[in-house]
Amino acid sequence: MLGSLYSSISGMKAHQTKLDVVGNNIANVNTTGFKKTSINFEETMTQTVKGARGPVDGQGGVNPSTIGLGTKVSSINTNFESGAQQTTGRKTDLRIDGNGFFVVSEGANKMYSRAGNFNLDGNGNLVNPSGLKVQGWQATIKEDGSQGIAADAEVGPLAIKVGATLPGKATDTVNFGGNLNQNAGISNITLNVKDPVTGGKLDVAVKFNYDTTNDKWYWNAEGQGVTGKGAFQLDDKGNIKKSFPQETTPIQNANGILIQSPIAGKITFSELADMSNRKTAQVSDNLVTTSAEVYDTLGNTHTTSVKYTKVAENIWEWKAGVANGSKINNGKGFLTFDARGQLNGNYLYADPNDTTTMPEGVATIYYEGGVKDATGAVTFGDVASNYVMDSNGVVRYRGPAGQGMEPGQIMNKQFDGKVMFDPADNGAAPVELTLNFSGVSQFAANSTVALESQNGYGMGELETYNITDTGDIMGFYSNGYQQIIGRIALAKFTNQEGLQNAGGSVFKQTSNSGEAVIQKPGQAGLGKVVAGALEMSNVDLGQEFTDMIIAQRGFQANSKTISTADTILNELINLKR
């Protein structure tokens, strides 16, 4: 009889604890990031009334008979299911959309939370309402002057200091985009003429290229067995103002002169046997200039320019300059375009007096316009060479096709250096620029080439910020630039139910939770961050009210058992009387 009393007492205590759990859940129904708990019971010790006996000697087996001695709490479990989203609009209110915990710390003691109602303290530290510092990776200034998170950065407190200074960063990359007009310069022409001996018809093409150093146009005639070349200069209206007879040979084949070349006026080529058969080359401006503001290491701006000059079919020279007259090193090269108008090369001009610029694997070259050596003497190189260099320094292959070589193939080295200049007397380090022309095309349309972007900037102050879904804290500065300030860290555990609730909406790591694995949001199974929102409590009031009734009924039933046992004991006492 006494056993039933003690069993009922244990049941009342257990259901009282269940009611405590339910009450705590209901109390925290509106607590940010709260995770509800649930309670489980298990039977306590049992008393064996009769042991078990197996079948033997024709007798059947007997099952054991036991009486339980009450109940006790076996576990109180935390439900980490995500709560609903509450939109607040505050920049520092954060919600985890998925798995993971925010990492907060008090000194070296790290704790973990789903409550993202953070604030900035007087020092700009990102903290929770209890003053625990939110952990992540703080951005630092890199060697190139930009701000970013180092690959080996350690997790630590995050700070967002409005008004903080962002040092200037020197420009090291300039990106260009747009179109260069394919019809710029002098248009190539083709004449169909009669052979003076055989009477047969043949096509003669006349192609033009421009010598940027001497402001001179060269023309070359091409066709089966046809030779001929010449040079002239143009006035502002596109007419020939000066020709160079000493550099001119008639357009002819083995049977005689075929075409009369121009020496003044318009660029008109006429068939010698039929002067009515003529063609005039069209002239348009072959020069395009763009400008770009770049920054030195102290944040000073410098106006640079790039001049594009069409020097031959599908070839444009580029030349860099600085408005203040600073000397430019390595500031010249040329771009080539394919038949589809796409950029297919950025090359370095060849200079016979600088062996580092000469094409590799080319032993001899014919210098089409002649070059001066170190003594000032003019040389034309090897006239029989399969390689020819024009007056600008473009080297082409002119031998037979085969073994991966095609006539007209450009042999110059790719331009892979940096354009450099030293700012004049301002104490800054020399500026070194990589010019990126990958966004430039060449089509038969107006030239629109221009600066697309450059990666330098002057000093700025932090004006505002926002937090991305990957946890990046992006700062917006007074100089118009955006830089990362820091990155929120998230943690996950092998057994998150093994975490110990430490109060204040934070949990502590235990030996049964496993070690915290800290990563950036959105990686390794971690959720992403939603800024301007909070995670609400995951308490279901309907379930809690049901559990409250169950706890109440359980308590009442156990108390009824006690009153019943008490009545029986009274009857026993009365028997003695």
Side-chain angles (χ1 to χ4, degrees), residues 137-153 164-170 297 457-460 477 479 482-486:
W137 298 272
Q138 194 77 41
T140 55
I141 302 299
K142 299 180 180 179
E143 289 184 4
D144 64 358
S146 65
Q147 186 166 282
I149 297 174
D152 59 351
T165 298
L166 175 70
K169 175 188 177 298
T297 54
Y457 45 81
M459 187 203 79
Y477 291 83
N479 58 7
Q482 168 184 331
Q483 292 287 326
I484 189 169
I485 300 172

Side-chain angles (χ1 to χ4, degrees), residues 264-286:
K266 294 188 178 297
I267 309 169
T268 301
F269 291 80
S270 307
E271 182 180 359
L272 194 63
D274 180 8
M275 297 298 288
S276 64
N277 182 20
R278 62 176 63 189
K279 284 199 176 173
T280 300
Q282 300 301 311
V283 181
S284 60
D285 191 6
N286 68 327

Side-chain angles (χ1 to χ4, degrees), residues 209-218 311 391-392:
N209 61 79
Y210 180 66
D211 179 354
T212 58
T213 303
N214 299 303
D215 187 27
K216 185 188 295 185
W217 285 94
Y218 289 91
V311 296
S391 57
N392 290 314

